[in-house]
Amino acid sequence: MKQILCFGDSNTYGYKPDKSGRFPWGVRWTSILAEKFGRDVNVIEEGLCGRTTIFDDVFRVGRKGSESFPAILESHTPLDLIIIMLGTNDCKTYNHASADRIGKGIEKLIQQIRKADPAIDILLVSPIELGEDVWKPGFDPEFDQHSVKVSKELKQTYLKIAWKYGCDFLAASDVAKPSKADMEHMNEKGHKNLAKAIESFLVEKERNHSNNYVNVV
């Protein structure tokens, strides 16, 4: 059985834009992948609300991804593929982070993977963009207009990092947008579109390179 670890934040966890909890199995993108791949692939859901790459959350403990990641890698070994989708929470105002600084956090996570096992393949996914009004009353005051700008710069920053480290790359913002309900999280359609994009990418990669993640029909 092949092992795929999905390491991310609330959009990997499947948090609902209406703040009513978590999307059920079969709706969140990680579970859609699991159902598509079947029994030959174990898709491990490692999404956590508020998770960042390298920044501490001033309100919640355990959100610094680089701090918990080594233990997560060890607990799920052996792994064939890791899908990383982080960066949205790094855009919060109190982190004062540029896209390049957030990229340094992504690089640290990649380095942790390579240290744990250089043979693990990595699919780096840049997150969806924040909605233009996410900082306005009624949405999320932890973001501001600069946060929105930085979120839009992550795609190109992550693409360069993927080239640098020889990782695969996919932009979630190409296939999904934040819900109008909260300007921050994907709705059901967004999860479905992202799952389809990742599945298509991995199937095509299998056809071209035979890395044996999925059975190609």
Side-chain angles (χ1 to χ4, degrees):
M1 176 182 287
K2 298 299 175 180
Q3 306 277 354
I4 298 178
L5 174 67
C6 302
F7 188 67
D9 53 30
S10 53
N11 271 316
T12 296
Y13 172 83
Y15 189 72
K16 292 181 178 180
D18 65 4
K19 299 179 173 58
S20 64
R22 188 183 194 184
F23 280 123
W25 182 269
V27 176
R28 53 187 187 264
W29 69 265
T30 46
S31 66
I32 296 173
L33 281 184
E35 292 184 342
K36 289 287 186 178
F37 292 157
R39 298 175 63 181
D40 293 332
V41 178
N42 181 29
V43 177
I44 303 163
E45 299 179 298
E46 250 305 334
L48 178 66
C49 296
R51 178 177 278 149
T52 67
T53 59
I54 56 172
F55 300 101
D56 288 311
D57 188 308
V58 297
F59 301 111
R60 292 177 287 183
V61 299
R63 265 55 185 186
K64 185 176 180 179
S66 61
E67 193 168 73
S68 60
F69 201 29
I72 290 171
L73 292 172
E74 184 177 350
S75 68
H76 292 298
T77 191
L79 292 165
D80 298 286
L81 170 67
I82 297 176
I83 301 173
I84 303 176
M85 187 172 73
L86 281 172
T88 299
N89 293 301
D90 300 56
C91 295
K92 290 180 177 178
T93 55
Y94 50 73
N95 291 322
H96 306 290
S98 64
D100 286 341
R101 182 69 184 276
I102 296 170
K104 294 294 183 185
I106 288 293
E107 289 192 59
K108 184 169 184 177
L109 297 176
I110 292 173
Q111 291 162 4
Q112 288 175 328
I113 296 171
R114 293 283 166 79
K115 182 178 180 180
D117 184 354
I120 298 173
D121 279 330
I122 301 168
L123 173 57
L124 179 58
V125 180
S126 59
I128 61 171
E129 298 173 354
L130 291 167
E132 295 291 343
D133 296 330
V134 67
W135 54 277
K136 292 183 178 180
F139 295 111
D140 195 334
E142 293 184 332
F143 297 105
D144 61 11
Q145 288 175 289
H146 181 68
S147 302
V148 177
K149 177 178 178 292
V150 172
S151 76
K152 294 179 179 181
E153 296 171 350
L154 294 181
K155 176 180 174 179
Q156 289 302 316
T157 299
Y158 285 22
L159 177 57
K160 292 176 183 177
I161 292 170
W163 287 341
K164 178 179 178 180
Y165 288 90
C167 304
D168 290 316
F169 174 78
L170 188 149
S173 57
D174 285 348
V175 297
K177 300 183 182 300
S179 167
K180 292 182 180 179
D182 73 350
M183 301 285 169
E184 186 176 354
H185 296 98
M186 295 184 292
N187 59 18
E188 294 96 326
K189 182 180 179 181
H191 278 270
K192 183 177 180 180
N193 288 347
L194 180 58
K196 183 178 180 180
I198 293 176
E199 179 200 3
S200 297
F201 179 87
L202 294 180
V203 168
E204 186 62 26
K205 182 179 176 71
E206 172 71 6
R207 288 196 178 102
N208 293 334
H209 302 291
S210 297
N211 283 325
N212 300 316
Y213 302 130
V214 296
N215 289 328
V216 179
V217 179

